[in-house]
Amino acid sequence: DAKTTQPPSMDCAEGRAANLPCNHSTISGNEYVYWYRQIHSQGPQYIIHGLKNNETNEMASLIITEDRKSSTLILPHATLRDTAVYYCIVSPSGAQKLVFGQGTRLTINP
Amino acid sequence: DTGVSQNPRHKITKRGQNVTFRCDPISEHNRLYWYRQTLGQGPEFLTYFQNEAQLEKSRLLSDRFSAERPKGSFSTLEIQRTEQGDSAMYLCASNPEGRTIYNEQFFGPGTRLTVL
């Protein structure tokens, strides 16, 4: 079962920062936080992951609270192509399968 | 394009028929995964291979489902005696052994199965 809680949907204006929250209050010390997204009719795509430090890559930033019980994915300048379902996944180091929840459907509006 | 490929992209079948899907992972990726996704839900793990060995199977994978990866390259997923409840998107993903610290999986576009 998924160990994360996400809002079912969010809207954001094009060009603004999209901040997607995720609660994972039962996270264990060896579990990473992953974010994937799925654009309509495509397979999921890896975005970013983190353990306890904030992370940034060319796609997004990941902010993890100090107690690690929640995190926020930030898309700094959202475009229409960022419209997708975003999944927050908690998974231990070395795990093979990904356990997806229902994710957040993010709609970027022009 | 060197991504994960899946064939066919769409399959419509009648209840009771057998269907087989194929997944070609990214070359050099020795780990291969199958997931199933129903409408409005996130993908659900079905099974995973390391090379030709099937190392984990979900209890979702009933005895009507079988997956193979005979030479450690492409994989097939067969569903026998299909039921309407099998209608879903079947996703394949791969990644290379060694990336055990973080779990980046590369997904294919999926095969959409409709059972009439």
Side-chain angles (χ1 to χ4, degrees):
Chain A
D1 294 325
K3 303 178 186 178
T4 63
T5 304
Q6 300 178 252
S9 63
M10 292 182 64
D11 285 86
C12 180
E14 187 178 18
R16 305 297 285 257
N19 297 278
L20 292 91
C22 179
N23 285 323
H24 32 80
S25 58
T26 60
I27 192 170
S28 300
N30 71 337
E31 290 184 316
Y32 287 74
V33 179
Y34 296 87
W35 284 84
Y36 280 72
R37 75 179 182 184
Q38 187 172 24
I39 295 170
H40 183 61
S41 297
Q42 297 183 21
Q45 175 192 22
Y46 165 87
I47 301 172
I48 199 168
H49 77 282
L51 183 62
K52 52 185 178 181
N53 297 321
N54 298 338
E55 302 288 344
T56 296
N57 63 19
E58 65 278 4
M59 291 182 68
S61 295
L62 174 60
I63 308 297
I64 302 174
T65 57
E66 192 168 345
D67 63 7
R68 303 209 321 124
K69 293 185 177 181
S70 65
S71 60
T72 301
L73 180 75
I74 301 172
L75 308 178
H77 305 286
T79 71
L80 298 178
R81 287 175 294 182
D82 292 322
T83 292
V85 178
Y86 287 76
Y87 297 100
C88 171
I89 298 168
V90 166
S91 185
S93 170
Q96 299 311 315
K97 65 184 178 186
L98 294 170
V99 179
F100 291 82
Q102 294 190 312
T104 295
R105 181 172 299 277
L106 175 68
T107 302
I108 306 300
N109 300 306
Chain B
D1 185 89
T2 57
V4 177
S5 62
Q6 293 188 246
N7 288 287
R9 293 293 309 278
H10 303 273
K11 178 71 177 178
I12 300 174
T13 191
K14 293 183 178 179
R15 189 177 49 170
Q17 298 294 304
N18 299 342
V19 294
T20 300
F21 312 138
R22 175 176 170 132
C23 171
D24 286 87
I26 295 171
S27 57
E28 304 111 38
H29 282 192
N30 62 338
R31 289 182 172 155
L32 186 147
Y33 310 80
W34 285 99
Y35 293 82
R36 180 176 71 185
Q37 185 173 27
T38 54
L39 202 60
Q41 304 297 314
E44 297 172 293
F45 170 80
L46 292 178
T47 189
Y48 119 82
F49 291 84
Q50 181 162 311
N51 301 311
E52 64 275 9
Q54 189 173 17
L55 297 186
E56 186 173 353
K57 292 168 57 174
S58 164
R59 61 177 181 273
L60 294 174
L61 212 65
S62 75
D63 55 6
R64 297 185 299 106
F65 287 69
S66 63
E68 294 184 340
R69 194 181 183 200
K71 297 182 180 179
S73 57
F74 71 92
S75 175
T76 57
L77 178 68
E78 181 182 15
I79 309 174
Q80 296 182 326
R81 306 180 302 280
T82 53
E83 302 172 356
Q84 288 184 324
D86 297 331
S87 294
M89 176 76 82
Y90 290 84
L91 293 160
C92 176
S94 70
N95 63 7
E97 183 178 5
R99 287 196 181 175
T100 56
I101 297 299
Y102 77 96
N103 200 349
E104 179 180 0
Q105 297 184 10
F106 297 82
F107 284 82
T111 294
R112 181 167 295 285
L113 172 67
T114 302
V115 182
L116 302 176

